[in-house]
Amino acid sequence: RRDGTGLFIKQIPLAAAETMQSVQREATLYTFAQNNVVDAQLKALMPLIRHYDKTRHLLAVDLVENSQSLTFYQMRVSAASGAMDDIAAQLGTLLSTCHGHAPDILGEATRQGIFPAQPPWILSFSDFGETMMPNMSGGAKSVLAAVRQEPGLKEQMALLKAEWQRSSLIHGDLKWENFLVSQK
């Protein structure tokens, strides 16, 4: 709306298990923030949840005023030298705040299978990319091909997967479209 208020509605177009679980995890984390299960520093980074419909895989949160995705922000400022430096530092701090949370806040949700204690999907991407992302974008296909062609990378990812331990809350879907730059 013109006054900056409104809702952001997310509904998954393809009922793939991983996508449905991702939206459920997102809704659960927003609910944790709203119910003060997470600390104030993490809560301040998240919009207010308004509705979650598990059956229809629909999530509604408040819009973040005067904001745009990091993708659009980067496109707008790309010509200015160093324009992304401050944002990169802020993103590092933001992820550190998120990752600084121990998994104990996720106890009951983990027992319910909402936050599985398994290695991140990306560590299996080289083996199961097409299965994980049947409607993969051209960019994702290029990344998958590059990972498969790079000598030793697939083996190193397998080692990381074998050594992985759950020690913190992780974002799980790190892409620029999932981060907002607010210009208050």
Side-chain angles (χ1 to χ4, degrees):
R1 294 176 19 180
R2 289 184 183 164
D3 67 357
T5 63
L7 298 174
F8 176 77
I9 309 293
K10 179 187 274 190
Q11 185 171 24
I12 60 169
L14 177 65
E18 177 57 34
T19 311
M20 292 184 298
Q21 292 165 354
S22 177
V23 171
Q24 184 179 22
R25 285 190 296 270
E26 186 174 350
T28 300
L29 195 54
Y30 286 132
T31 302
F32 282 175
Q34 189 169 319
N35 296 332
N36 298 311
V37 175
V38 299
D39 72 25
Q41 191 178 20
L42 184 58
K43 181 178 181 174
L45 299 172
M46 300 164 62
L48 185 66
I49 187 171
R50 294 299 180 164
H51 180 73
Y52 173 60
D53 184 328
K54 184 178 180 178
T55 305
R56 292 161 60 196
H57 316 293
L58 183 134
L59 174 65
V61 298
D62 281 350
L63 284 178
V64 176
E65 289 184 56
N66 301 316
S67 67
Q68 59 188 306
S69 74
L70 187 52
T71 300
F72 288 117
Y73 179 81
Q74 188 275 332
M75 288 190 302
R76 191 170 56 81
V77 302
S78 63
S81 177
M84 291 295 291
D85 295 350
D86 186 49
I87 295 296
Q90 290 180 47
L91 184 57
T93 300
L94 180 147
L95 290 172
S96 175
T97 298
C98 179
H99 297 168
H101 284 275
D104 59 326
I105 69 165
L106 308 175
E108 183 57 32
T110 296
R111 285 189 287 282
Q112 296 171 7
I114 297 169
F115 292 98
Q118 61 190 27
W121 67 270
I122 194 65
L123 297 178
S124 300
F125 187 55
S126 63
D127 293 321
F128 306 108
E130 293 84 2
T131 304
M132 294 172 156
M133 299 172 68
N135 297 323
M136 197 180 319
S137 70
K141 288 177 184 176
S142 295
V143 168
L144 180 58
V147 167
R148 288 177 173 165
Q149 291 172 1
E150 184 64 32
L153 184 56
K154 184 176 176 178
E155 292 77 17
Q156 290 298 314
M157 289 177 75
L159 286 173
L160 283 173
K161 183 178 177 182
E163 294 173 2
W164 184 85
Q165 294 181 28
R166 182 175 176 194
S167 60
S168 66
L169 175 63
I170 61 171
H171 186 280
D173 194 13
L174 191 62
K175 57 185 176 185
W176 285 17
E177 290 85 8
N178 286 342
F179 292 95
L180 297 176
V181 177
S182 179
Q183 310 208 305
K184 289 184 177 183

